[in-house]
Amino acid sequence: MRMELQTWPKVEAYLARSKGILVPIGATEQHGPDGLIGTDHLCPQAIARRLGERDGILVAPTIQVGMSQFHLDFPGSLALRPSTLMALVVDYVASFARTGFERIYFVNGHGGNVAPVRAAFQEYYAGLSLAGSDGDVRVRCKLKSWWELPQVDARRRALYASAEGFHATPSEIAITMAAEPGAIAEFTREPPPSRGTNDPLEHAGDNYFEAADFRRRFPDGRVISDSARATRAAGEELVALAVDDLAADYGRFLAFA
Ligand code: NI
């Protein structure tokens, strides 16, 4: 149930039976020579919409641009400053709260968003706390990145092991092949990228420096990942697992008092 395709009376009727909503959030940034610019928002969007259709859950308009400053040496990339993204997320949450939602579940597709989005949740709550809220605020926010969902995480490791890498991963490319069949015509089949010139452990959470430094370290944009291992069949499988995992986690979130 895509919110942008509803009317306000339909949303009001939905709120009478559920106070929860899924919010896909990602990025618009380079994904190596073969991956789509929209990979990071297409993946959580596909997963959230599939679950939304299956279980009748409202899905918000996707936040398509994220905290991607370190990709700006590659054309097609767009970046919000961390402070801009925080302001956007605070206003999203405040809008949902103002209109009656109480469980706001962000399905994330970009590691660089994690710190600003978590900080934005605290910014929203800080506004209530500092104003002396009366203890009757029921709004709860959650962020989960799709690759952390347990069955998805296990399957992508089993499929790709170290070839999964950290950026333009075969698992995320596979999901875009399932979500947008035909968008990737063929892979350039270059040899797997080198390990770059950075400590791999530093990549977790997208802890990079500025854009020119990133491109020097990772000249074709991939970070260790062998994107060409992606297949549409693997993408379909990963989406199905993600939908199952997300349904369970969202259910727990709705029940959380
Ligand atoms: Ni990505």
Side-chain angles (χ1 to χ4, degrees):
M1 291 179 63
R2 293 170 58 183
M3 194 169 84
E4 61 267 42
L5 302 182
Q6 310 300 314
T7 60
W8 75 258
K10 284 184 178 171
V11 176
E12 192 171 69
Y14 174 86
L15 280 164
R17 66 176 175 85
S18 175
K19 304 292 189 196
I21 190 161
L22 295 168
V23 187
I25 180 169
T28 296
E29 61 181 40
Q30 70 84 14
H31 270 74
D34 298 312
L36 305 177
I37 293 286
T39 297
D40 282 2
H41 71 261
L42 292 170
C43 292
Q45 177 175 276
I47 293 162
R49 287 183 180 176
R50 183 84 62 93
L51 177 61
E53 286 307 313
R54 194 193 80 175
D55 289 3
I57 301 165
L58 201 60
V59 180
T62 302
I63 299 175
Q64 295 185 332
V65 182
M67 206 293 281
S68 304
Q69 60 81 14
F70 39 83
H71 291 297
L72 285 176
D73 225 33
F74 296 90
S77 301
L78 300 171
L80 302 180
R81 293 166 189 270
S83 54
T84 310
L85 179 59
M86 284 180 61
L88 185 149
V89 169
V90 169
D91 286 357
Y92 248 65
V93 170
S95 298
F96 289 128
R98 175 67 178 78
T99 52
F101 291 91
E102 296 179 354
R103 295 291 182 277
I104 306 161
Y105 191 117
F106 287 75
V107 187
N108 180 48
H110 175 51
N113 291 344
V114 172
V117 172
R118 292 230 162 95
F121 295 164
Q122 293 303 313
E123 183 76 17
Y124 173 74
Y125 292 129
L128 299 174
S129 299
L130 290 164
S133 69
D134 62 5
D136 196 30
V137 177
R138 299 169 187 275
V139 176
R140 300 288 179 263
C141 304
K142 175 164 182 155
L143 175 75
K144 180 74 94 176
S145 299
W146 63 261
W147 58 85
E148 298 173 332
L149 295 165
Q151 293 185 88
V152 179
D153 195 32
R155 188 61 185 138
R156 71 190 182 107
R157 289 171 195 275
L159 281 168
Y160 302 122
S162 64
E164 174 75 344
F166 294 93
H167 184 66
T169 65
S171 64
E172 65 181 340
I173 305 295
I175 291 175
T176 65
M177 295 167 80
E180 297 289 339
I184 299 175
E186 58 179 326
F187 289 100
T188 53
R189 297 284 174 189
E190 297 173 351
S194 79
R195 298 190 70 81
T197 57
N198 209 357
D199 180 344
L201 293 177
E202 290 295 315
H203 300 303
D206 284 2
N207 290 311
Y208 302 113
F209 305 111
E210 89 286 358
D213 178 85
F214 183 101
R215 187 156 185 170
R216 267 196 306 277
R217 293 176 194 273
F218 310 107
D220 79 359
R222 294 176 291 180
V223 180
I224 305 172
S225 303
D226 189 359
S227 313
R229 298 270 299 271
T231 64
R232 183 177 168 186
E236 297 284 3
E237 183 186 3
L238 289 166
V239 169
L241 292 171
V243 166
D244 272 356
D245 281 346
L246 183 61
D249 201 49
Y250 179 74
R252 283 191 293 273
F253 180 60
L254 283 187
F256 180 68

